[in-house]
Amino acid sequence: TPARPGRPLELSLDLRMQYLAHRELRKAIDAAGAESGSLVLLDARTSEVRAMVNHPSYNPNNRESVGSQALRNRAITDLFAPGSTVKSFTVIAALESGKYRPDTLIDTSPGYIRVGRKTFTDKHNLGLIPLTTVITKSSQVGTTKIALSLEQDKLRDVFQRAGFGATVGTGFPGESVGILPDFKRWSDVARANFAFGYGLSVTPLQLARSYVMLA
């Protein structure tokens, strides 16, 4: 609903969740030895933002020593390659194609697959596995085989419908739309990379919102 001047304004942020998110993000960053991080918590029923925190952060009551890095809302402005987190959407494309069911078997032996000059590997040879195990074991080989069996425009369409490559509509200054490639002719390597989250870029908020659809 568009904002109207003079009407009451109520944030969807939950103060308790915001505090907990800040605390847990700091723990995760310390444990990983990371330089920065973001955490977004959405209501799965409404998509409302319940918590959104970033690190480095700052105290708005004391801005004397605040650096520019702390002022960025990384959850909305920063881009990264989502990697294996988007394999779920490749599986959605597989199910929508009619070629696959949750119990469809995919042969991932011998634990790697060569595509052009690239070799994609799993941590272990998972052998013959159903489609659901491709997700639970995050199989690179299984995802690659699925992607190569699908029409490239149908695969990309699922990612586009999930909101990648488009504004979330926050109206926040500097909001990034991300990068969703639209190759006229995809190489097999590019299609495989795309299917497990490389060759595209998203914001943390975009990724969280896409998972609301799954939730």
Side-chain angles (χ1 to χ4, degrees), residues 7-167:
R7 298 290 297 273
L9 177 65
E10 182 178 332
L11 299 182
S12 63
L13 294 174
D14 183 293
L15 182 60
R16 296 163 300 170
M17 293 182 182
Q18 185 77 359
Y19 168 76
L20 289 171
H22 178 78
R23 186 184 71 184
E24 295 305 314
L25 178 62
R26 285 298 304 271
K27 283 184 184 178
I29 287 175
D30 290 343
E35 294 181 1
S36 63
S38 299
L39 191 155
V40 178
L41 181 63
L42 303 182
D43 187 318
R45 295 163 299 179
T46 65
S47 292
E48 289 179 314
V49 179
R50 294 304 188 200
M52 181 184 292
V53 296
N54 301 281
H55 184 77
S57 187
Y58 68 97
N59 181 354
N61 295 313
N62 180 11
R63 298 167 64 97
E64 290 183 1
S65 59
V66 176
S68 59
Q69 295 293 316
L71 292 172
R72 271 202 338 264
N73 188 346
R74 298 168 181 269
I76 294 179
T77 64
D78 286 21
L79 297 173
F80 66 101
S84 293
T85 58
V86 297
K87 286 177 181 173
S88 302
F89 300 101
T90 298
V91 169
I92 288 175
L95 293 170
E96 286 191 349
S97 73
K99 296 179 180 180
Y100 295 87
R101 294 167 46 88
D103 57 357
T104 299
L105 296 176
I106 299 166
D107 189 1
T108 65
S109 296
Y112 63 85
I113 182 172
R114 190 162 181 81
V115 181
R117 297 182 179 179
K118 295 275 290 184
T119 300
F120 303 113
T121 63
D122 286 336
K123 191 173 182 180
H124 306 288
N125 180 7
L126 300 171
L128 196 63
I129 57 174
L131 184 66
T132 52
T133 304
V134 171
I135 289 294
T136 58
K137 295 295 185 180
S138 192
S139 171
Q140 209 95 315
V141 176
T143 305
T144 298
K145 285 195 169 185
I146 292 168
L148 295 180
S149 72
L150 302 175
E151 296 178 39
Q152 60 190 39
D153 56 330
K154 301 294 185 183
L155 177 61
R156 184 185 183 279
D157 179 61
V158 169
F159 283 70
Q160 185 173 32
R161 282 155 46 207
F164 299 122
T167 176

Side-chain angles (χ1 to χ4, degrees), residues 192-208:
N193 278 325
F194 179 85
F196 47 75
Y198 295 95
L200 69 155
S201 298
V202 303
T203 65
L205 180 58
Q206 280 181 318
L207 185 59

